[in-house]
Amino acid sequence: MSTFIYSHQAAAFARDELGFTPDAGQAELLATRHRLVILNCHRQWGKTTVTAIRAVYQAVQEAKQSIVIVSPTMRQSRALANRCREFASRLGIPLGTDGTNARSLLFPNGSMILPLPAHPDKVRGFTANLLIIDEAARVADEVYSAATPMLATTKGDLWLLSTPKGRSGFFYQEWMAKDTTKDRWLRISGPVAESSERVDADFLASERRRKTAEQFAEEYDCGFLTAGRNVFAEEWLERSFSAEVPIFDWNSREDLRLARHRPVYFLSLDVGKLRDHAALVLLEYRVTPTGRRDAATYQPLYKCEVRVVYIERFRLQTSYRELVDRVSRLCHHPHLAGHTTLILDATGQGLPVVEMFRDARLPVTLLPVTITGGKQVVVSGSSRSVPKANLVASLELLLERGFLKIASLLPHADLLREELRQFERWSERGGAVKYGAASGHDDLVMAAALGAWWVWTNRRGSLTGDTPRVLD
């Protein structure tokens, strides 16, 4: 654990030695002894200055401290390190450079401040007594995962500093997390209302006119609210993932030919590219009796539900032949053979895979889908060209209306949940709407979206209650 001779006087150190007078929030940040700190603040709150003061203070107070700065870009990390250099200069401290890294700041007592870019391969191999992740909401989850082991042997401090950027990513999750007794965060909020003396009122008025209410709330009021950024709301995911949803039983050989309400299956495959995983999702469309009858017709009422009962994500660079062989084995299961539609991503490199699946003569209905950026579905024989917006909208509708249930005990269920959380919608210049992962991959999301689109296209009436036998 890091200990400082005068740690409770860090704010006084800022005033007396560096000529910086912190406000209440800044003084709390400087004086904290918490190992885990999250600062959620508006733009121009002063986090660069305060963090640089704290970094220099720690480097001066105790010898051989390793302080690592990680930011979305090397330029941003160096900007914070340069602020540290400026404060060290005011103190009259001569700085050197570590022989292995020309960007480091080496103090005479052996302490070092090291700026790094947010890249998972470039933050490995270091040890830190204080790890600072600046603009954390804009740093990928993979970087966070790769960086935190720096603290494993030092029991060092972790500071996450940022302005919000949507309801996804580790910064949002750590801010919203319910702390355990062993893992407690100090959370400091810095909305612009608490910095009224520093921020010009006319400028804020102009910003309100330039931005939507949600954008202003995010940039200046510390809210995770950006309109339309995260496609799938957290509350939809909470009610959709359930341990009560049964997993597909691959060992079952029960004869379902005479079953009155035999489930229908939709198997969707997102074909991986060079840097993406191939992903497979099995949707089960099931009709179950409710035990109730229509008051007017006295016909029995049924409930229709779509379930995710199997998920598989393949390793990177899995060969097409391996994909075909694996899917072929699954499709020959007696519950799937003859009663399943295989929705296959035929976009780009997916085209040769389609031909391989056709040559395999699987006992399923093959539906190749080319994902486009257009606005209309185009039918060409047994193939479809479908706008990505349609695929995403279908999955969005099923989740929003509670029609889709996902077996949370599946091996890759947590991975699917995280991809759904990270999936974003944004507008580019010219009005084009784009979709994709905020960080990481979206392979499982797109596999699920392919199946959801075909289910919604063909079973919409029963799901929405347009047929008299169905009760939602």
Side-chain angles (χ1 to χ4, degrees), residues 300-472:
L301 296 173
Y302 299 85
K303 181 177 182 178
C304 298
E305 193 171 67
V306 183
R307 301 172 176 176
V308 175
V309 294
Y310 180 73
I311 299 170
E312 185 170 355
R313 190 171 84 157
F314 298 85
R315 69 181 186 279
L316 290 174
Q317 299 182 5
T318 297
S319 70
Y320 292 162
R321 176 50 59 193
E322 287 181 84
L323 283 180
V324 174
D325 290 345
R326 175 59 178 157
V327 175
S328 177
R329 290 196 297 273
L330 300 180
C331 290
H332 279 88
H333 189 280
H335 291 188
L336 303 186
H339 301 276
T340 301
T341 300
L342 173 59
I343 305 102
L344 182 63
D345 175 17
T347 310
Q349 292 174 307
L351 286 173
V353 184
V354 172
E355 295 305 317
M356 294 175 70
F357 273 103
R358 284 182 174 144
D359 292 341
R361 300 186 179 277
L362 303 180
V364 297
T365 301
L366 183 63
L367 178 68
V369 172
T370 300
I371 303 173
T372 73
K375 296 182 178 181
Q376 291 184 336
V377 176
V378 177
V379 179
S380 178
S382 62
S383 302
R384 304 287 190 278
S385 294
V386 184
K388 192 172 187 178
N390 291 37
L391 300 177
V392 175
S394 299
L395 183 56
E396 191 174 3
L397 283 166
L398 291 179
L399 287 168
E400 180 184 15
R401 300 186 184 186
F403 296 141
L404 183 65
K405 302 298 181 183
I406 303 169
S408 62
L409 298 181
L410 287 168
H412 286 122
D414 288 342
L415 187 59
L416 174 58
R417 186 198 292 260
E418 188 57 31
E419 285 193 12
L420 288 165
R421 283 174 172 160
Q422 294 283 341
F423 199 77
E424 294 185 351
R425 176 194 294 118
W426 68 93
S427 297
E428 295 188 334
R429 290 184 179 180
V433 179
K434 299 292 184 181
Y435 300 87
S439 63
H441 298 275
D442 59 9
D443 318 294
L444 288 172
V445 171
M446 291 312 302
L450 284 164
W453 167 76
W454 191 240
V455 171
W456 185 250
T457 299
N458 292 276
R459 305 281 172 164
R460 182 184 313 173
S462 60
L463 288 171
T464 56
D466 293 341
T467 57
R469 341 184 270 121
V470 176
L471 178 68
D472 292 332

Side-chain angles (χ1 to χ4, degrees), residues 142 176 178 185 205 251 337 455:
E142 292 93 334
M176 300 298 293
K178 296 179 180 179
W185 290 86
N251 295 318
V455 171

